[in-house]
Amino acid sequence: MNNIYVITGATGGMGSTLARRFKDKGDLVLCDLNEELLLELQKKLGVNNQIIVGSVTEEDVLNKIFDKVKEMGSLKGIIHFAGVSETFGDPEKIMEINLVGTAKLVNKLEPLVTDGTIIINTASMTAYSTHTNEEVLKLLENPLDENFISNISKYLNNNADLAYGLSKKGVMLLSKTLAPIIGQKGGRIISISPGVIKTPMVEREMAKNSEAINNLISMTPVKRIGTASDIVNLIEFLCSDQASFITGTDILIDGGVTGVFEKIKHN
């Protein structure tokens, strides 16, 4: 059976770079919101790679992904990039898209997990600097609870930045809570926490706020911001047999800047 990789946020900077790198590793199911960009990407990669238009927060989209994977072959990997930043503005929607959507995707495809399947979700370095209490952490561990959004909204203070950080902390927690379940089937689940990555969106920000970006670069131990290839290199390793002992955890890939921020905060 063919190895199938599901890539969400497939037309973004990281998603499209990964799709190009993985096109010879198996068949791809590419999911994103923009049909035109998906068709363009599919044309570049080959028609054996399938596209699905929509958000993983929608049940019909999840059903389409499930059916397509089952029809095409064996689920080798889920690499989930899709999400929104704090600039989206609506705290509850940020939580619903970033965390609930991620949990729904994993929950829907979990029956297809088999020996060697890898699930990689995208958190953020922001989660490391978003501090909270035990009560909120317990809520974040159960994002599929029917009252999750109404319960967590009490702690968001109508603050999009806080919602983003907590949503990504919840994504990190999914790896810990689901690793035993996924492991029973021979699979692994991991989250990655990128720092500032040079995507088209960040490039536009660099053009507007070059001074702030240059200050960030000067604070970063490796003296640069990340690239989509940095992220894809990590994912390629995590999907390989060389990473077969890594599961249930988060991997921070930020050039070391989170540690610098923490040190400044405590001085």
Side-chain angles (χ1 to χ4, degrees):
M1 294 183 76
N2 291 345
N3 286 331
I4 310 300
Y5 290 90
V6 175
I7 303 174
T8 72
T11 67
M14 292 185 287
S16 60
T17 301
L18 180 73
R20 289 193 296 272
R21 181 83 64 88
F22 272 41
K23 67 182 178 64
D24 297 323
K25 294 181 183 291
D27 293 337
L28 309 180
V29 175
L30 308 167
C31 182
D32 213 324
L33 299 175
N34 189 311
E35 184 175 12
E36 184 179 349
L37 291 177
L38 278 171
L39 287 168
E40 187 179 317
L41 181 61
Q42 184 187 38
K43 186 177 179 181
K44 292 177 182 176
L45 298 174
V47 293
N48 56 311
N49 303 300
Q50 301 298 306
I51 64 170
I52 293 174
V53 182
S55 167
V56 297
T57 59
E58 300 167 9
E59 193 63 33
D60 66 321
V61 171
L62 292 173
N63 288 334
K64 287 177 183 177
I65 296 172
F66 181 93
D67 292 342
K68 190 62 68 176
V69 172
K70 198 170 182 182
E71 169 194 322
M72 292 170 65
S74 175
L75 181 63
K76 180 64 175 175
I78 304 167
I79 299 93
H80 179 45
F81 290 122
V84 294
S85 71
E86 51 269 64
T87 59
F88 191 78
D90 184 329
E92 290 188 4
K93 280 292 183 184
I94 289 171
M95 189 65 69
E96 182 180 351
I97 293 168
N98 287 353
L99 179 53
V100 178
T102 301
K104 282 183 174 181
L105 176 67
V106 175
N107 184 65
K108 184 67 180 183
L109 297 186
E110 184 266 330
L112 301 179
V113 170
T114 186
D115 190 39
T117 300
I118 174 73
I119 301 169
I120 301 174
N121 296 315
T122 307
S124 168
M125 72 173 187
T126 305
Y128 284 81
S129 58
T130 303
H131 301 293
T132 187
N133 57 44
E134 287 297 321
E135 192 171 351
V136 172
L137 286 174
K138 285 188 181 299
L139 290 175
L140 292 175
E141 287 177 353
N142 295 285
L144 295 182
D145 184 282
E146 62 180 356
N147 298 314
F148 173 72
I149 292 295
S150 61
N151 287 336
I152 199 72
S153 66
K154 304 167 190 173
Y155 299 94
L156 300 181
N157 303 323
N158 201 30
N159 185 319
D161 291 335
L162 177 59
Y164 178 78
L166 289 177
S167 73
K168 294 303 188 178
K169 191 177 283 287
V171 170
M172 290 168 57
L173 288 171
L174 283 176
S175 295
K176 293 182 179 179
T177 57
L178 296 179
I181 297 168
I182 300 299
Q184 286 177 358
K185 296 187 167 190
R188 295 179 293 124
I189 180 168
I190 299 161
S191 64
I192 60 171
S193 287
V196 180
I197 306 300
K198 193 176 182 181
T199 61
M201 182 175 67
V202 171
E203 285 181 327
R204 290 192 293 272
E205 189 65 26
M206 289 171 72
K208 290 188 295 183
N209 298 299
S210 59
E211 185 178 350
I213 296 295
N214 287 333
N215 285 338
L216 176 65
I217 291 171
S218 70
M219 294 171 66
T220 303
V222 299
K223 301 304 178 189
R224 66 175 177 88
I225 62 173
T227 66
S229 290
D230 289 322
I231 301 300
V232 172
N233 290 341
L234 172 62
I235 289 172
E236 190 167 32
F237 166 70
L238 292 174
C239 289
S240 74
D241 291 340
Q242 293 173 307
S244 62
F245 202 55
I246 303 174
T247 192
T249 191
D250 180 78
I251 296 176
L252 181 62
I253 177 168
D254 70 338
V257 76
T258 296
V260 174
F261 287 155
E262 284 293 315
K263 188 174 181 180
I264 291 171
K265 184 177 178 180
H266 290 106
N267 281 347

